[in-house]
Structure formats: structure tokens, C-alpha cells
Amino acid sequence: MITKSFQDTVSTVRMVWYSLAGLVTGKFGLNDMAGPVGAASAIGEVASQGLQQSFGTAINNILYMMMIITVNLGVVNLLPFPALDGGRLVFLLVEAVRRKPVNPKYEGWVNAAGFVLLMCLMVVITFSDILRLVTGKGIGA
């Protein structure tokens, strides 16, 4: 059971990396992304599909979706983007190479800019999720 859990986690990490590569290369677009609203909708769908078989299957589907979301958040958080933990790691690497700390003022500006970009992306994706629920098509469709 532990081996299966490890294999599923590794498989999910690979899926997230392939998805991120697809976003960068243009294979996937905005309509293929989902935020909290889209995730809640997807969890509801897999739960109802599982309930058609049994209550245990519905719980298993929900737990699997929770695992996918958790691994996805972990991988995305490690991306070298300002305001994420991966961005902090980049600053630590720069400090290690330079052997002196980055000016906190500049680090603050870079992280603030990254945070603003992340919030804008979050608003756009949430709007797309709501549009998809109402009309059946998101922004990129």
C-alpha cells in the first residue's frame, strides 16, 4: 500500500510537470486551467460518479483528487517565481553565490510584483471557472 501511494505520488508529480510544460509550450491554454471553483466542481463530479458505484468509491475518488491538488500545490510552490517558495530558494542561491545578502528592498519589490501577478492570474482563472459553470465555456474557449 505504501509502495502504491509512492508510485501514485510520483506519477502525479510527473503529470504536473508535463502540464506545466504544456502551459509554457502552448499545448494547454487558459481554458484548461482551473482554480478553486473549478476544483470544487471537479470534486463534485468525481464524487457523484463514485456514488453511482458505492459510497466507498466516492470517498476514494475525493481522496484521490485531494492528493492531486496537494501534490500540484507542492510542485507549483517550488517553481522559481517571486512570492513562491521557489522564488525564495532562488534568492538564497543568489546570496550563496554572491556571498552577501540581496538588498531587502529589492527582494521586497520583486516579491511584491510576483504576488501581484499571481493575484491577477488567480482572479482571471476564477472568473474563467465561474464563466465555465454558467455558460459551459471558460475564457480561452
Side-chain angles (χ1 to χ4, degrees):
M1 184 150 164
I2 291 175
T3 304
K4 174 77 167 115
S5 297
F6 180 77
Q7 290 170 344
D8 284 350
T9 302
V10 169
S11 175
T12 304
V13 169
R14 282 190 188 123
M15 177 186 65
V16 171
W17 277 112
Y18 291 139
S19 299
L20 289 170
L23 283 171
V24 171
T25 60
K27 183 177 179 182
F28 303 118
L30 186 62
N31 200 42
D32 298 314
M33 298 174 71
V37 174
S41 176
I43 290 170
E45 286 179 34
V46 299
S48 66
Q49 288 174 0
L51 279 174
Q52 292 174 358
Q53 295 176 5
S54 70
F55 182 74
T57 303
I59 295 296
N60 191 39
N61 288 354
I62 292 170
L63 289 174
Y64 190 72
M65 287 293 291
M66 288 173 59
M67 186 269 297
I68 290 173
I69 291 168
T70 301
V71 170
N72 191 354
L73 285 173
V75 170
V76 169
N77 194 36
L78 288 175
L79 291 176
F81 190 82
L84 297 176
D85 288 341
R88 180 69 187 129
L89 287 174
V90 169
F91 276 109
L92 291 174
L93 287 172
V94 168
E95 289 177 3
V97 169
R98 292 179 61 215
R99 297 183 190 251
K100 64 180 185 176
V102 175
N103 186 332
K105 180 175 94 172
Y106 299 131
E107 185 176 353
W109 279 107
V110 169
N111 283 322
F115 182 75
V116 167
L117 289 173
L118 284 174
M119 291 300 106
C120 289
L121 180 63
M122 184 182 76
V123 168
V124 168
I125 291 173
T126 302
F127 179 74
S128 181
D129 285 346
I130 293 169
L131 192 63
R132 189 178 303 115
L133 282 176
V134 174
T135 67
K137 294 182 180 178
I139 291 176

